[in-house]
Amino acid sequence: MAQPSSFSGQICNWLTSISFQCRAANEPDWALPVLEIAASDRVVLKVIPVDLATWQKINQEGLLNLSSNYLQATRSQGVPAVLLWEDYWLARKSIVQSRLAAMLGISAKIPARLTLARRIDKAATEHFLETNHLNGSTLSKFRYGLFLPKRYYRVLPEGFVFDASADEMLVAVATFSNARIFEQNGKPFRSHELIRFASLLNTNVVGALDKLLNAFIREKAPDDIMTYADLEWSDGRSYKRLGFEERGYMPPRKALVELADMRRVRTPVETGQPTGESPVEYLTVYNLGSIKYVRDIKTNANES
C-alpha cells in the first residue's frame, strides 16, 4: 500500500473513507502504481495515478503508449479504467471524486424524466461547468440545462447538500458549437459539435445527455452531431448507446501544467502573467488523445 502522504495514498484514504477497499496491483511491467478498487468483492475500477515529478524524468511517448495499451486491455475485460493525473486531483479534487463516485455507483440518482430541458445563458453555463466539469468552461454557441423542479427534491438522498428553498435546481448542462455547413449530395449539411456535458457534483442524472441531445435536435435540427471521448476516462461506449458511431482518433495533445497552482493551459499567454514578474514554472505533459464519435441525425431520421 502506498504511504498516506503519497498521491496513491491520498486516493486510497479517500476511498476508505467512503467504504471502498483499495490495494496496489501487482503490475511488474508498469512504470507507475496501479490501484484496484473493490466493491462487492469484485474489482470495478483501476485508477492509475501519475506523479508529476515522474513525468519530468521519463520518456513520455513510451509511457503514454503503455498507458493507452493498459487501459484498452483493462476495459476490454469490462473493467472501467482511468488515467488520473495528480494535477487534476490537487486542483479539481471535488470533481475527480464526484466522477469516480459515479463510476462506483454511489452518486445521488436523479431520473432525467423528472427534469425540464431549456436553453440557459452564458453566465449560468460558465458557473456550472467551472464547478462541475473537469476541464471547466469553454466557448460555445448553444447552451442547454436540465432543471429539477422543487416538487421532485424528494428523490435526493438524505444528507445531500442543496438549496431547498429554490424553486428548481440545475442538475446537468450540455453545450454545442455553431453549425459547420458542408455540401453533401448537392445539399447543405449542418454539423454541430457537442462540446461539454456535465452533471451536478455527486449526482448521476440518469438519461441526462439523451434528454439534452433531444432538446437540441428538436430546436436546431442538425444533420449530425460529433463529439470526443476522453481516453483517459473512458472509451466512449456510453455514446454508442445513444446512437453515436466511432469515426477515428485524435492524437495526444500537449498541455502545460502551471506547477504553482496545478492549472493546465495550452500556452503561457493563457496565464495572463504581467510582464516583468518572475517566470512561471511549467511542466509539459501530453494527454492520451480521444475517440471521435458522430451521430448521424439526418440518416437516422430518414430511415425511421
Side-chain angles (χ1 to χ4, degrees):
M1 176 66 65
Q3 295 300 314
S5 60
S6 71
F7 179 32
S8 302
Q10 291 176 39
I11 298 171
C12 280
N13 287 343
W14 169 69
L15 289 165
T16 300
S17 74
I18 59 173
S19 303
F20 284 91
Q21 295 180 348
C22 174
R23 69 182 181 87
N26 181 23
E27 300 289 346
D29 297 327
W30 185 249
L32 299 170
V34 176
L35 302 181
E36 290 186 349
I37 304 169
S40 303
D41 299 322
R42 63 187 178 90
V43 175
V44 297
L45 177 68
K46 290 185 179 179
V47 179
I48 306 168
V50 177
D51 182 343
L52 290 178
T54 302
W55 286 75
Q56 293 175 307
K57 302 179 292 185
I58 61 173
N59 180 328
Q60 286 200 38
E61 182 178 357
L63 191 54
L64 284 172
N65 289 334
L66 185 61
S67 302
S68 181
N69 292 338
Y70 185 89
L71 294 179
Q72 183 177 359
T74 303
R75 291 166 182 162
S76 69
Q77 300 172 22
V79 180
V82 173
L83 179 69
L84 181 56
W85 290 82
E86 186 178 12
D87 62 302
Y88 282 136
W89 176 260
L90 294 175
R92 303 182 77 81
K93 185 179 296 183
S94 61
I95 300 175
V96 171
Q97 290 178 345
S98 177
R99 291 192 66 172
L100 293 177
M103 295 177 76
L104 292 166
I106 59 172
S107 299
K109 289 183 174 57
I110 301 173
R113 59 182 173 78
L114 303 180
T115 65
L116 303 174
R118 66 172 182 267
R119 295 273 289 271
I120 58 177
D121 63 27
K122 181 180 178 181
T125 302
E126 290 181 347
H127 180 268
F128 189 91
L129 291 176
E130 287 298 328
T131 305
N132 298 283
H133 195 285
L134 195 60
N135 295 314
S137 182
T138 191
L139 295 176
S140 61
K141 178 66 175 179
F142 304 107
R143 301 168 289 270
Y144 290 78
L146 289 185
F147 292 84
L148 182 70
K150 187 174 185 177
R151 65 182 179 276
Y152 294 125
Y153 286 178
R154 64 179 184 272
V155 304
L156 299 170
E158 184 178 353
F160 188 83
V161 179
F162 66 101
D163 182 4
S165 66
D167 291 334
E168 60 183 6
M169 182 191 311
L170 181 59
V171 296
V173 164
T175 69
F176 302 84
S177 72
N178 205 352
R180 296 175 178 87
I181 303 177
F182 310 94
E183 184 174 312
Q184 189 174 98
N185 299 324
K187 298 180 180 179
F189 187 93
R190 300 169 57 84
S191 178
H192 293 262
E193 179 182 352
L194 167 63
I195 300 174
R196 289 281 193 269
F197 168 71
S199 296
L200 183 67
L201 282 184
N202 304 313
T203 69
N204 175 13
V205 186
V206 182
L209 182 54
D210 190 29
K211 188 163 186 173
L212 288 165
L213 284 168
N214 287 333
F216 175 72
I217 291 168
R218 284 195 302 270
E219 185 169 317
K220 304 309 298 182
D223 293 312
D224 76 18
I225 300 174
M226 56 85 67
T227 193
Y228 296 96
D230 181 355
L231 280 168
E232 292 179 357
W233 282 87
S234 77
D235 57 8
R237 62 187 63 190
S238 60
Y239 289 127
K240 292 182 180 180
R241 291 194 290 269
L242 294 175
F244 286 80
E245 298 178 351
E246 285 190 33
R247 297 286 176 86
Y249 290 80
M250 292 293 289
R253 297 182 65 178
K254 180 174 75 173
L256 300 175
V257 178
E258 187 176 327
L259 296 180
D261 61 4
M262 292 298 178
R263 185 164 66 101
R264 288 198 177 196
V265 297
R266 291 187 183 176
T267 66
V269 174
E270 292 183 32
T271 66
Q273 181 188 0
T275 303
E277 287 194 1
S278 300
V280 177
E281 185 179 3
Y282 298 102
L283 174 65
T284 300
V285 297
Y286 292 84
N287 66 15
L288 287 187
S290 56
I291 304 176
K292 181 179 179 180
Y293 280 92
V294 176
R295 178 172 168 179
D296 194 336
I297 310 298
K298 191 172 186 178
T299 299
N300 292 343
N302 292 338
E303 290 177 350
S304 62

